[in-house]
């Protein structure tokens, strides 16, 4: 009856256009025309989950609102009551403003949107999963686990909920439970590259390096441009001591995701381990550019620039700038960072400051029971006190 009634209304305003004027017809045909694409006759992604939504009439409603306004204007003119228009405006505009304010609040952020969806449709498994993803990104892991479990209660074969529950459990250090859900996702979808890669990550955490590499390689067979799988496989090669293979996979990851800061960091470390310090500096600089507070990159970069035995690799001023930033990040209470800062001071000829910072580093290292670092600091202090900079023969970060 609804389609027939709609067609009858459109036919009526068309046939009565001589009496009613063309305005009502224009408004209703505009409304119908702009609503037509979302009536279910065309496929949209979200129609897999819902055929209705109040936002679908946003583009259509202005025509009807305009028709109502014109009607009120005509009534006011016919009654010769211009005050009626002002009263209408004073009543309707604040009402619409309040409704708009309330509606807009639902879209404040993704978490609010999915909470609103769940409050209106408690059986919406998609909303529980999507809310879990947002919570996981915000570090609310326990809440994410609970929402993933609720999504799976409503839809046990929901692959993404199994994947995301696995991710949340992995973050909590519960690798065995995480693997159970990754394997379930793969039962439901054997060619799910993300599940292969994430299962490999849990296996790697459990020390099962060879098995983890098998899953990473399968993920890359399914999705050759999968940057995360390249990154994870590179990490596995590092654990096996195969640095050159790791470098290759880190580089492949960056080809597909150039701003992947974790890959730049690990690639820099791998290049340093392979004796390619010049190239590692480039990677650490990129990490610092992408993530200015990444402590490991700041420390590694400053250390190489301050202590490299190759004069062409040293840059005291830049080393000091980076080391000071790292020291600010740690609040001046990290012995390794203080050692790096002292080395940068010494490279710039500031031997008194170098000795002072090294002394603080030594006290912290002794308090932490780090005897190896303490011996390195003592050696550095003896150099500073004799007016000499520190040089690292192995090109490794302390």
């Amino acid at each position: 009856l609804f389609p027939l009634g709609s067609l009858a209304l459109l036919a009526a305003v068309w046939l009565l256009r001589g009496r009613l004027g063309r305005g009502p017809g224009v408004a209703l045909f505009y409304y119908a025309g702009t609503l037509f694409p979302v009536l279910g006759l065309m496929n949209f992604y979200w129609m897999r989950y819902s055929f209705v939504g109040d936002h679908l009439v946003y583009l259509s409603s202005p025509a009807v609102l305009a028709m109502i306004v014109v009607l009120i204007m005509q009534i006011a003119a016919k009654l010769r009551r211009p005050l009626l228009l002002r009263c209408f405006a004073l009543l309707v505009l604040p009402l619409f403003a309040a409704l708009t304010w309330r509606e807009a609040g639902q879209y404040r952020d993704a978490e609010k949107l999915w909470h609103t969806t769940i409050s209106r449709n408690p059986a919406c498994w998609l909303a529980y999963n999507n809310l879990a993803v947002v919570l996981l990104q915000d570090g609310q892991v326990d809440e994410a686990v609970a929402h993933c479990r609720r999504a799976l209660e409503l839809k046990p074969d929901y692959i993404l909920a199994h994947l995301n529950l696995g991710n949340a459990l992995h973050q909590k250090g519960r690798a065995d439970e995480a693997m159970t859900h990754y394997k379930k996702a793969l039962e439901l979808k054997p060619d799910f590259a993300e599940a292969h890669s994430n299962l490999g990550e849990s296996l790697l955490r459990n020390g099962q390096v060879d098995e983890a590499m098998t899953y990473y390689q399968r993920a890359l067979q399914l999705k050759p441009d999968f940057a995360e799988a390249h990154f994870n496989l590179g990490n596995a090669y590092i654990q096996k001591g195969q640095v050159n293979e790791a470098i290759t996979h880190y580089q492949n990851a960056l080809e597909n995701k150039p701003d992947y800061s974790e890959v730049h960091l690990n690639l820099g470390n791998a290049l340093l381990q392979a004796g390619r310090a010049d190239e590692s500096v480039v990677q650490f600089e990129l990490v610092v550019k992408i993530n200015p507070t990444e402590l490991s990159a700041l420390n590694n970069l400053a250390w190489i620039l301050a202590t490299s035995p190759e004069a062409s690799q040293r840059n005291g001023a830049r080393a000091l700038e980076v080391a000071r930033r790292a020291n600010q990040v740690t609040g001046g209470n990290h012995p390794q960072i203080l050692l790096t800062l002292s080395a940068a001071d010494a490279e710039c000829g500031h031997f008194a400051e170098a000795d002072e910072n090294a002394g603080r580093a030594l006290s912290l290292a002794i308090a932490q029971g780090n005897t190896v670092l303490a011996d390195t600091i003592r050696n550095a202090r003896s150099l500073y006190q004799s007016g000499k900079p520190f040089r690292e023969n192995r090109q490794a970060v302390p």
Side-chain angles (χ1 to χ4, degrees), residues 65 81 94 97 155 170 197 221 276 300 314 335 367 383:
L65 296 175
R81 295 286 188 275
K155 188 173 176 61
H170 180 85
S197 181
Q221 288 174 357
R276 297 158 63 178
N300 291 4
R314 294 197 302 273
L383 291 169

Side-chain angles (χ1 to χ4, degrees), residues 272 277 299-311 313-316 319-320 336 339-348 376 380 383-384 389-398:
L272 190 60
N299 186 57
N300 291 4
L301 176 60
W303 183 258
I304 296 171
L305 295 174
T307 69
S308 173
E310 301 294 332
Q313 295 174 0
R314 294 197 302 273
N315 184 334
L320 188 57
Q336 289 180 319
L339 173 59
T340 301
L341 179 57
S342 73
D345 275 321
E347 178 61 21
C348 293
T376 302
L383 291 169
Y384 304 154
F390 188 94
R391 291 290 175 262
E392 175 58 67
N393 293 326
R394 295 178 294 105
Q395 276 298 293
V397 178

Side-chain angles (χ1 to χ4, degrees), residues 25-53:
V26 170
L28 292 178
F29 276 101
Y30 175 91
Y31 181 84
T34 52
L35 197 61
F36 182 80
V38 293
L39 292 181
L41 303 177
M42 303 178 187
N43 287 327
F44 293 96
Y45 170 77
W46 43 261
M47 286 184 176
R48 295 175 61 184
Y49 310 105
S50 175
F51 289 104
V52 296

Side-chain angles (χ1 to χ4, degrees), residues 13-302:
V13 296
W14 173 256
L15 293 173
L16 296 173
R17 64 189 183 277
R19 248 175 163 186
L20 301 175
R22 291 179 297 174
V26 170
L28 292 178
F29 276 101
Y30 175 91
Y31 181 84
T34 52
L35 197 61
F36 182 80
V38 293
L39 292 181
L41 303 177
M42 303 178 187
N43 287 327
F44 293 96
Y45 170 77
W46 43 261
M47 286 184 176
R48 295 175 61 184
Y49 310 105
S50 175
F51 289 104
V52 296
D54 55 4
H55 64 284
L56 302 180
V57 295
Y58 286 171
L59 292 176
S60 307
S61 57
V64 177
L65 296 175
M67 182 174 67
I68 294 172
V69 169
V70 171
L71 178 63
I72 296 297
M73 291 177 65
Q74 289 177 343
I75 292 173
K78 187 173 183 179
L79 297 176
R80 296 182 182 179
R81 295 286 188 275
L83 186 61
L84 181 63
L85 287 177
R86 296 179 184 177
C87 292
F88 175 73
L90 289 173
L91 290 172
V92 172
L93 291 180
L95 173 63
F96 279 15
L99 291 172
T100 300
W101 181 273
R102 187 182 68 175
E103 184 76 11
Q106 301 171 24
Y107 304 94
R108 182 181 64 219
D109 52 44
E111 183 176 347
K112 177 65 175 178
L113 172 64
W114 295 120
H115 273 300
T116 302
T117 304
I118 290 170
S119 68
R120 296 181 178 181
N121 184 4
C124 185
W125 41 268
L126 177 70
Y128 285 104
N129 176 73
N130 291 358
L131 177 56
V133 172
V134 175
L135 293 170
L136 195 59
Q137 291 171 347
D138 289 343
Q140 301 178 59
V141 184
D142 291 331
E143 292 84 351
V145 169
H147 285 291
C148 283
R149 293 195 190 282
R150 179 58 179 151
L152 289 172
E153 287 175 7
L154 294 166
K155 188 173 176 61
D157 62 345
Y158 188 21
I159 299 171
L160 289 179
H162 282 291
L163 179 74
N164 292 324
L165 180 53
N167 294 343
L169 292 168
H170 180 85
Q171 282 198 27
K172 288 179 67 67
R174 294 155 62 177
D176 290 336
E177 293 179 68
M179 286 190 282
T180 299
H181 288 281
Y182 292 143
K183 288 176 180 177
K184 182 62 178 178
L186 289 174
E187 286 179 19
L188 296 166
K189 186 179 179 183
D191 61 348
F192 194 4
E194 286 77 5
H196 281 285
S197 181
N198 292 8
L199 177 54
E201 194 170 353
S202 291
L203 288 165
L204 192 64
R205 174 172 286 188
N206 272 2
Q208 300 168 259
V209 182
D210 291 329
E211 291 182 50
M213 293 177 72
T214 300
Y215 282 98
Y216 294 146
Q217 289 161 348
R218 177 58 179 152
L220 289 171
Q221 288 174 357
L222 294 166
K223 191 176 177 182
D225 60 348
F226 192 178
E228 286 76 8
H230 279 295
F231 173 56
N232 292 333
L233 185 53
N235 294 340
Y237 274 119
I238 287 291
Q239 289 200 21
K240 290 178 70 69
Q242 297 174 249
V243 179
N244 290 329
E245 289 82 354
I247 290 172
T248 298
H249 282 284
Y250 290 148
Q251 290 171 335
N252 288 337
L254 291 173
E255 286 179 7
N256 296 292
K257 195 173 180 181
D259 59 348
Y260 201 159
S261 62
E262 293 91 340
V263 180
H264 284 293
L265 177 61
N266 286 17
L267 176 57
N269 290 331
L271 290 166
L272 190 60
Q273 189 175 340
R276 297 158 63 178
D278 282 340
E279 296 173 72
S280 71
V281 167
V282 174
Q283 297 303 318
F284 294 139
E285 287 281 13
L286 287 169
V287 177
V288 171
K289 182 178 180 180
I290 297 169
N291 186 357
T293 61
E294 172 52 57
L295 190 60
S296 180
L298 290 169
N299 186 57
N300 291 4
L301 176 60

